[in-house]
Amino acid sequence: MKKIVMCALLIVLLVGCGKQIPEPEAVHAETINNNIAGSELKVRHQLQGNKLFVECIIPGISLNREEIAHNKVKIKLYVNDMIYSEYDTAAFVVKNLKPGKQDIKLEVVNPNNGKIKLYNKFSIIIS
């Protein structure tokens, strides 16, 4: 009887965990979506102090440095409508942002700065 109860408890624990492991709440925050209609640029960001962690998801477009692809792109980062930097990776860290409200714009461009019409805007507040 004791073995049956232990087996039943083990099965309940295994089935309860399942394949869907919850994602920690503090890992990312979704952006307020101000994209143009039909855009596929998705951005996740997290603010820690004056560092902004950004992850861009663009289906069908490569941001892998090792992969040679005809659809290679880069991301231009604007802070308060001024160019801050360019990135050729899907995830990056923006450091040394000034305190206060910052308007962030990410724009996807070809390596020769030709626009692809994908962008995302969001605001952050650094205290």
Side-chain angles (χ1 to χ4, degrees):
M1 182 68 177
K2 195 174 187 181
K3 288 183 182 181
I4 294 173
V5 171
M6 291 299 281
C7 286
L9 182 61
L10 181 62
I11 290 171
V12 168
L13 286 175
L14 290 175
V15 171
C17 292
K19 294 180 182 177
Q20 201 172 24
I21 299 172
E23 191 172 324
E25 291 179 21
V27 170
H28 73 275
E30 292 293 331
T31 65
I32 299 170
N33 196 353
N34 292 330
N35 290 356
I36 57 176
S39 175
E40 295 179 355
L41 176 61
K42 294 180 177 78
V43 177
R44 294 180 185 176
H45 70 276
Q46 179 182 2
L47 188 61
Q48 290 182 355
N50 66 345
K51 293 180 185 176
L52 177 64
F53 297 84
V54 179
E55 179 185 8
C56 298
I57 302 155
I58 313 166
I61 295 181
S62 173
L63 286 167
N64 185 347
R65 288 183 180 169
E66 287 80 31
E67 184 179 313
I68 299 171
H70 68 280
N71 58 356
K72 189 81 169 162
V73 297
K74 61 183 176 179
I75 299 171
K76 283 187 169 184
L77 172 73
Y78 296 87
V79 177
N80 297 327
D81 294 327
M82 296 183 66
I83 187 78
Y84 184 87
S85 188
E86 293 181 357
Y87 300 94
D88 60 355
T89 58
F92 50 88
V93 179
V94 183
K95 298 179 181 177
N96 301 321
L97 291 169
K98 295 179 182 177
K101 182 181 178 195
Q102 307 292 334
D103 294 319
I104 307 295
K105 178 181 177 182
L106 299 166
E107 181 179 52
V108 179
V109 296
N110 289 326
N112 59 1
N113 289 328
K115 293 183 181 178
I116 301 180
K117 295 184 180 179
L118 292 178
Y119 71 90
N120 195 305
K121 292 181 179 180
F122 58 92
S123 296
I124 57 172
I125 298 176
I126 299 174
S127 51

